[in-house]
Amino acid sequence: MLEILILAAGKGTRMRSDLPKVLHKLAGKPLLGHVVDNAHALGATQTCVVYGFGGEAVPQALADDKLTFVLQAEQHGTGHAVQQALPALADDSVTLVLYGDVPLTHTATLQPLVAAARAGKLGLLTVTLADPTGYGRIVREHGQVTRIVEHKDATDAERAIAEVNTGILAVATRHLKQWIATLKNDNAQGEYYLTDIIARAVADGVAIETHQPACEWEVLGVNSKAQLAQLERIHQNEIAQALLNDGVTLMDPARLDVRGTLSCGRDVSIDVNCVFEGKVTLGDGVQVGANCVLRNVTVAAGTQIDAFTLIDDAEIGEINRLGPFSRIRPGTRLARDVHVGNFVEIKNSQIDDGSKIGHLSYIGDTTMGKQVNIGAGTITCNYDGANKHRTVIGDDVFVGSDTQLVAPVSVGKGATLGAGTTLTKDAPAGELTLSRPKQTTIAGWTRPVKLKKES
Ligand code: UD1
Ligand code: CA
């Protein structure tokens, strides 16, 4: 049985923020959320989060994640933090300790630590740094780890050690309970150090098995906005490389942001500065132009999305052409071969096969049939100031430019609305409906002339 303990009570002073550090977002998700995802991926039977600074904001933000929360009201060190959670952990389990502000560790890096703990050892993740300043140093004798000394307590000789403690370790929970109970705070910081359990383990004959991460950034923590930005880039680069490996064309892998999951079919291409949020699926051959934002969207095969298009909570069918400068809002479903052009906004509408809304229009709360042509500047007036109403447009309708459809209203199959129509009543199928006055010419009319100013 594996139980995971995530330490997340620290204040994060250097973030200069009222938000608890672990709730700052990396790739659109709280730092702590990344660590929790790892815990779930490792199959933990219980994941316990020790929180403190920021109060209930932390449990509230992760309420859906099936976690146990333990409050560490005052922060007296990592050993003290672990101690708060011990009553929640089962004696016969293995505990893996993670930090809530270290978001990018691969599960493959953590698995060997858990395996070591299951084999009765203490698994410890260490890393060798060019500049180990500030970290706890791994002290070895004849190659065997004997203890960890914190930077502030270390001698000059110990400070020269480049192998440092990442803080991540795994051990049998019953040992953890024994050793934590014996910790003292007689050190430079007056804290209870979790790291002191290493010497306890050695004294009790429990072997220390160290492992190193494949990449140094897997164990980097976030203490400042600069470090957060640095890890964000590292993470985005990892995502971009994975997409490239899957055959996606990225015009510039350094100018892509995925804040969620992006699944792509074959021969997808993505131009620069696109942002994908939530769950986005792009079908075979989809092309996304520069500067598009897609949030919780499914795009079917062969669709082309031109530059500066924003799509939110929508379903886009096959061989559509969207943009440039289209905005598709929640609840929209575009069927096959739909064309939505520049400065067109569509909200909560269903547009059927082959329909075209080319320019400067607002289509809201509308059901549109097949092969409809919507002229430039058409507006569905869906809101009467109190309630929203639907517009229904049948197949093969032609709507002239600068038309207003005052909902609730419907346009019958094959109807034509003349340019400039303000439709307040249903338009019958197959007929031409106009609401504008007949064009007249006033013969001999002359333009007013400017009056001479009296001097
Ligand atoms: C700790 C380790 C050090 C290691 C370093 C890696 C100890 C004594 N030292 O240093 O060997 O090199 O991490 O970054 O363990 N936390 C709590 N409650 C507390 C104190 C800390 O929840 O009372 C949490 C923090 O939120 C953070 C983690 O524990 O997620 C580490 O705390 P931090 O203060 O950053 O680590 P150090 O003690 O400096
Ligand atoms: Ca730290």
Side-chain angles (χ1 to χ4, degrees):
M1 195 163 73
L2 170 66
E3 294 185 294
I4 293 182
L5 193 51
I6 303 176
L7 306 189
K11 186 166 181 206
T13 314
R14 282 190 282 152
M15 296 298 277
R16 297 185 179 275
S17 168
D18 293 333
L19 191 67
K21 177 165 75 174
V22 292
L23 295 187
H24 284 267
K25 286 180 177 170
L26 184 133
K29 186 193 292 182
L31 293 171
L32 182 55
H34 290 267
V35 184
V36 166
D37 285 353
N38 263 351
H40 292 332
L42 287 164
T45 45
Q46 182 182 212
T47 301
C48 186
V49 176
V50 180
Y51 71 102
F53 179 75
E56 297 309 307
V58 172
Q60 274 162 15
L62 285 104
D64 299 338
D65 281 294
K66 296 200 199 91
L67 304 169
T68 307
F69 287 96
V70 174
L71 177 66
Q72 185 193 22
E74 287 176 31
Q75 283 85 59
H76 296 300
T78 49
H80 180 254
V82 169
Q83 189 177 36
Q84 308 311 301
L86 288 181
L89 304 179
D91 284 345
D92 58 349
S93 71
V94 153
T95 298
L96 171 66
V97 177
L98 301 175
Y99 286 180
D101 55 2
V102 178
L104 299 184
T105 323
H106 289 148
T107 52
T109 297
L110 299 171
Q111 266 146 359
L113 303 176
V114 174
R118 287 196 166 124
K121 298 182 237 180
L122 188 153
L124 181 66
L125 191 65
T126 72
V127 66
T128 300
L129 298 178
D131 177 13
T133 308
Y135 289 89
R137 307 299 206 282
I138 307 296
V139 181
R140 291 178 183 266
E141 280 170 29
H142 311 295
Q144 300 298 307
V145 178
T146 55
R147 61 193 171 93
I148 294 175
V149 61
E150 290 304 300
H151 181 91
K152 286 185 177 146
D153 301 291
T155 62
D156 285 348
E158 288 165 342
R159 285 183 184 179
I161 299 170
E163 187 187 8
V164 307
N165 174 34
T166 64
I168 294 171
L169 59 83
V171 70
T173 307
R174 62 189 171 85
H175 285 318
L176 195 61
K177 289 187 176 183
Q178 271 167 12
W179 300 329
I180 290 284
T182 69
L183 293 183
K184 295 202 172 60
N185 65 348
D186 52 352
N187 50 51
Q189 303 184 75
E191 287 187 357
Y192 295 92
Y193 291 165
L194 174 61
T195 44
D196 285 349
I197 71 166
I198 303 301
R200 302 284 198 287
V202 172
D204 284 354
V206 173
I208 313 293
E209 184 177 307
T210 57
H211 289 273
Q212 282 74 41
C215 303
E216 190 180 302
W217 49 256
E218 285 187 63
V219 296
L220 291 183
V222 171
N223 295 300
S224 64
K225 290 289 171 74
Q227 288 170 341
L228 181 62
Q230 189 192 354
L231 288 196
E232 177 80 37
R233 278 307 101 207
I234 289 168
H235 183 59
Q236 292 300 340
N237 181 55
E238 247 207 316
I239 293 170
Q241 296 306 323
L243 289 168
L244 292 169
N245 284 340
D246 286 348
V248 177
T249 299
L250 300 176
M251 293 311 175
D252 183 356
R255 284 184 286 168
L256 169 81
D257 284 86
V258 179
R259 302 173 191 148
T261 55
L262 172 61
S263 324
C264 296
R266 289 180 81 79
D267 295 309
V268 166
S269 90
I270 299 171
D271 210 331
V272 299
N273 293 332
C274 291
V275 178
F276 299 91
E277 295 184 348
K279 191 173 183 296
V280 177
T281 306
L282 306 179
D284 292 348
V286 167
Q287 294 178 26
V288 183
N291 302 294
C292 291
V293 178
L294 275 64
R295 190 180 295 133
N296 296 314
V297 179
T298 309
V299 183
T303 286
Q304 182 179 333
I305 301 169
D306 288 334
F308 296 99
T309 292
L310 168 58
I311 312 178
D312 210 339
D313 263 303
E315 210 182 300
I316 312 297
E318 288 177 353
I319 57 167
N320 280 209
R321 276 206 58 193
L322 313 187
F325 298 101
S326 303
R327 178 167 183 214
I328 314 287
R329 292 173 50 198
T332 297
R333 194 163 45 74
L334 307 183
R336 200 185 140 81
D337 192 23
V338 170
H339 173 54
V340 177
N342 40 208
F343 308 106
V344 172
E345 175 180 346
I346 302 187
K347 187 213 76 169
N348 190 30
S349 296
Q350 291 75 50
I351 314 288
D352 213 338
D353 295 357
S355 290
K356 296 178 174 34
I357 310 143
H359 332 263
L360 298 154
S361 292
Y362 172 67
I363 303 295
D365 303 306
T366 296
T367 306
M368 194 182 295
K370 299 184 202 309
Q371 306 294 337
V372 171
N373 194 302
I374 302 287
T378 295
I379 304 231
T380 56
C381 310
N382 59 329
Y383 186 51
D384 59 15
N387 297 296
K388 299 281 171 65
H389 302 283
R390 285 201 80 80
T391 298
V392 178
I393 301 174
D395 294 347
D396 297 309
V397 164
F398 182 96
V399 176
S401 295
D402 190 29
T403 294
Q404 300 90 48
L405 298 108
V406 182
V409 74
S410 73
V411 182
K413 194 172 186 302
T416 301
L417 303 184
T421 294
T422 300
L423 194 72
T424 51
K425 289 181 294 222
D426 293 352
E431 307 286 356
L432 170 65
T433 298
L434 301 167
S435 75
R436 61 185 186 231
K438 231 186 189 152
Q439 182 169 325
T440 54
T441 300
I442 300 169
W445 180 84
T446 56
R447 288 186 191 172
V449 289
K450 205 165 192 171
L451 296 174
K452 283 229 172 77
K453 273 225 180 99
E454 286 171 50
S455 53

